[in-house]
Amino acid sequence: MRRRTFAVDIDGTITENGGGRIHLGALNALRYMKKLGHNVILVSGRSSVEGYLLSVFGGLNTIAVGENGGCITYGANEHIMLGNKETCIEALHAIRSEINVVEKPVFPRMTEVVLERTFDVDDAVKIVNARKMGVVLSDSQYAIHINSTGINKATGFEHVMNKMGIRREDVIAIGDSATDVPLFKLSGLSIAVGNAHHTVKSAASMHVESHAGDGVVEALNKIAPTLSES
Ligand SMILES: O=C(O)COP(=O)(O)O
Ligand SMILES: [Mg+2]
């Protein structure tokens, strides 16, 4: 059997709703993929520790890419950090001098700044680009992230691919928002769940009708016949 690697988003993908509750059918289906011998790795804008703990308790590969690609956790004391949080904080101050923004109450971040979705991202992008601040902003539909330039879910997941010798053609990405698009482009097969914006669906190789966790179950059922190919 050809081992595939599922790179799976969390919020809006393996959850039941915006509240973050895990869709047990989706988790069960992903755990079954792991049982078949495939890799299943969470790639999220959440902290890498949240993703790591979910991977442990969820029975997936005990690796997690968090902070929108800025931090990869391989174990309790093994964290790889990509990006410079100081630069992101400077950008926050620059944005805040012109726009009212609120930091989202999330678990501590090592490499990025996370904001509530209470402002127009494009307005903030104009501010940081005009000042050439070396950051990128992205909206996961759950939060707005300020990461160092060049840091996104693809760069974070590439660290895992290099460490594990995973080929792009063997990666299957599943996600729901703009922050998953870099991962889609990196993957041999990418799947957008039904609640994804049409621009996200267009960036994926396929999309399903069902939303979030139900969409993950639908997607895995759809591609199951191809997974047994060598
Ligand atoms: O943006 C976040 O913090 C979480 O969102 P994600 O799991 O969909 O990447
Ligand atoms: Mg998401």
Side-chain angles (χ1 to χ4, degrees):
M1 178 206 75
R2 177 183 162 198
R3 170 170 292 177
R4 313 297 282 271
T5 294
F6 291 88
V8 185
D9 172 57
I10 297 177
D11 288 280
T13 300
I14 61 172
T15 58
E16 283 182 336
N17 53 36
R21 193 168 57 189
I22 292 299
H23 184 293
L24 294 179
L27 182 59
N28 199 41
L30 289 168
R31 193 184 288 181
Y32 181 64
M33 290 296 126
K34 177 90 173 49
K35 188 177 174 201
L36 291 178
H38 301 293
N39 294 315
V40 182
I41 296 170
L42 299 175
V43 186
S44 174
R46 295 245 181 183
S47 69
S48 59
V49 172
E50 287 171 278
Y52 183 80
L53 291 175
L54 178 52
S55 76
V56 171
F57 298 134
L60 310 176
N61 287 70
T62 52
I63 295 171
V65 177
E67 302 197 11
N68 210 34
C71 192
I72 304 103
T73 291
Y74 291 102
N77 297 306
E78 190 179 357
H79 310 278
I80 304 296
M81 292 170 223
L82 306 176
N84 179 322
K85 183 168 181 179
E86 287 314 307
T87 312
C88 299
I89 291 171
E90 285 165 16
L92 169 63
H93 295 157
I95 295 167
R96 191 169 264 163
S97 68
E98 298 186 41
I99 303 174
N100 180 27
V101 294
V102 178
E103 289 196 72
K104 189 176 178 77
V106 294
F107 280 89
R109 300 299 161 95
M110 306 299 135
T111 69
E112 64 165 357
V113 167
V114 185
L115 302 174
E116 295 286 9
R117 298 180 69 245
T118 55
F119 64 99
D120 185 329
V121 182
D122 293 339
D123 292 342
V125 168
K126 286 187 191 114
I127 295 167
V128 297
N129 287 353
R131 302 182 190 204
K132 297 185 174 38
M133 301 200 78
V135 297
V136 61
L137 276 78
S138 57
D139 182 357
S140 70
Q141 299 299 309
Y142 175 84
I144 293 171
H145 296 262
I146 307 177
N147 293 95
S148 298
T149 297
I151 302 303
N152 56 50
K153 288 191 180 185
T155 44
F157 193 68
E158 276 169 341
H159 192 280
V160 176
M161 291 172 67
N162 295 335
K163 186 177 174 81
M164 294 178 66
I166 294 167
R167 302 181 307 170
R168 292 173 67 128
E169 57 265 35
D170 292 327
V171 178
I172 301 172
I174 310 178
D176 76 304
S177 81
T179 57
D180 299 307
V181 171
L183 197 56
F184 287 178
K185 291 181 176 148
L186 170 68
S187 307
L189 173 65
S190 50
I191 307 169
V193 289
N195 45 301
H197 188 270
H198 69 85
T199 53
V200 176
K201 288 175 180 171
S202 313
S205 22
M206 64 179 276
H207 70 268
V208 291
E209 296 310 312
S210 306
H211 287 201
D214 289 327
V216 171
V217 173
E218 180 186 344
L220 296 180
N221 286 335
K222 270 190 175 159
I223 66 171
T226 65
L227 294 179
S228 52
E229 288 165 6
S230 57

